[in-house]
Structures are given as C-alpha cells and as structure tokens.
Amino acid sequence: MKISELIEWFESWANPSWQEKWDNCGWQIEPGILDQPARVLVCLTPTLAVMEEAIALQQQGTPVNLIFAHHPLIFGPLKSVQKGDAIGDMVRLSITHEIGVYSAHTNFDQVTDGTADVLSQLLELQAAEPVEPTQDGLGYGRVGNLQPALTLQQLLAKIQSALNPADLLVSPTADHQQEIERVAVLGGSGASYISAVSQTGAQAYLTSDCKFHQFQESRDRNLILIDAGHYATERPACERLAQKFADKGAEWAQLSQSDEDFRNFWASN
C-alpha cells in the first residue's frame, strides 16, 4: 500500500471535511512521499521526540516515512520557519529525512473506532450512541449502558485498568458504592459537552481537561465527572489506528513509544 492509498482509504472513513472550522486536519508536511510504500508511526501529538524516534528507526533499518498524528502540528498561519523553533525544526527534519506529517483530529473524533468510540468499547458500553450527533450515526462522544451495572468504585477501577492514567480526578460523592448504569465518554477536552451529556441520562462522564468550576457544574447537574487526562483518554484510539493501518496493508505500522503526556504528577514519597 502506497502512502497515497493509505491516506485515500483513511479519508474515505474519516473525511477531513468533517473537521471543525478552527481545526487543521490533513497534511501538515508532505515532503514528496505519496508514491512510497506506507511505513507509518502513529502518535497522539507530533513532537520533536516522535520525529527523532522516526529518524532513529530509519537509521536502524526501518524506513519510516510517515508520522500519522491525532493532534495537528500547525493550528494557525505560520509567520516564519526557523531553526530552533519546534515547528521549524519539524519542517526541516521532515524534508531532510522524507518523513511526512499528517493529522486527523476532529474528523477522527466522530467516527466508529475513533477517540470516543474506542473508549466506549474499552468500558464495554452497550448500545452506545453519540452524545452530540453530527451525521449518519457519527458524532462527538459516546453514551451507553453498563450491563451489568457497576458501583462507582468498580467503574473507577475499570477505567484505571483500561487506561492506566497518571491520576484520576473525580467529582466528590458521598457513596462510592452507588450503582452506575449509564456512562458517557469523550476523549480529550470534553468539558464543553457537560450540558449535552446531562441530557442523555448518563450518571457518570469520563473525559479530560476539566476545570474547578466544571466539576461544580457537573455536581449541580447530578453528573459524576471523571477526568483521566488528555493523553490517557486519546492514546487508546491511536493504538487502534496503528492496528487498522497494518490490517489495511501498510508495509509497516506501529504506535510511537516516544509520545508524551505533558502532565506529570509529583509524589513526595
């Protein structure tokens, strides 16, 4: 499978035209590699660490030629490209080593096996459907039922086991033994969907990047908010995507080992 064929297949599944107006999905850097066999390093965020990993793989005999990322490298118009600047160095290294950078962001969030859908599968939610539908059964977030119901304590343990987050932030509740039957999920920054989630009948909502007053808002809406972190809630879909590329015929596809969680939790002991 050539890179052009891999991208054509992907875009038939998660069309870049579905992205939000503020987003920048698609090619970030294309250094003339479309006719090459697809050898893909999949990551959450296209950083210099991931680029250095791809270059190291080339030097070790695995000729990686595409970094396929969830987050865009470029959000706004560039005013300059300079050595020593992160984006400038990514552009320079991309062209020098013939490693393209492609991003699938809000288009990938909406689809089956996308960021939210993979979370719903990991929690084994039944009859899952979008929290905010966009088209033809697609949309942002997923809400579904736990069968059998779990206590809140069991649900938190299931999330910890499935995602291995660095930490879990949870709305204060008097009873961790209360039964949870309906759960909503949305990978990445999902606090803006709290109002929509509260209309779905969900008792708990797993997402990330929630602020102090958003926990207050959730409490006031009788919704248990669970923040597992941006990295932990979106990386599982990247792992699934790497497997999809391999199954579809990419010559080589692997999840990055240098992908970074930009939050660290300090422990005093």
Side-chain angles (χ1 to χ4, degrees), residues 35-136:
D35 289 335
Q36 296 182 14
R39 295 179 288 265
V40 193
L41 189 63
V42 179
C43 67
L44 180 60
T45 309
T47 62
L48 283 169
V50 176
M51 178 62 77
E52 290 165 359
E53 178 185 6
I55 294 169
L57 285 165
Q58 283 186 344
Q59 294 170 344
Q60 295 162 12
T62 301
V64 175
N65 52 17
L66 177 62
I67 292 172
F68 196 105
H70 178 45
H71 296 146
L73 174 68
I74 301 167
F75 264 117
L78 293 178
K79 294 184 177 181
S80 67
V81 176
Q82 301 181 50
K83 183 178 180 180
D85 172 78
I87 294 179
D89 283 344
M90 286 287 284
V91 171
R92 174 176 57 84
L93 293 170
S94 169
I95 293 172
T96 301
H97 295 275
E98 294 191 341
I99 300 172
V101 180
Y102 184 100
S103 293
H105 196 210
T106 50
N107 55 328
F108 184 52
D109 287 331
Q110 300 175 53
V111 296
T112 301
D113 287 338
T115 52
D117 201 57
V118 168
L119 281 181
S120 75
Q121 294 171 35
L122 290 173
L123 295 188
E124 300 176 290
L125 300 184
Q126 304 300 305
E129 58 187 8
V131 169
E132 186 172 288
T134 52
Q135 57 180 319
D136 301 328

Side-chain angles (χ1 to χ4, degrees), residues 205-220:
Y205 177 33
L206 169 64
T207 187
S208 75
D209 299 347
C210 300
K211 299 179 180 179
F212 180 87
H213 288 295
Q214 290 161 341
F215 276 90
Q216 176 191 9
E217 177 188 354
S218 293
R219 183 200 62 188
D220 293 344

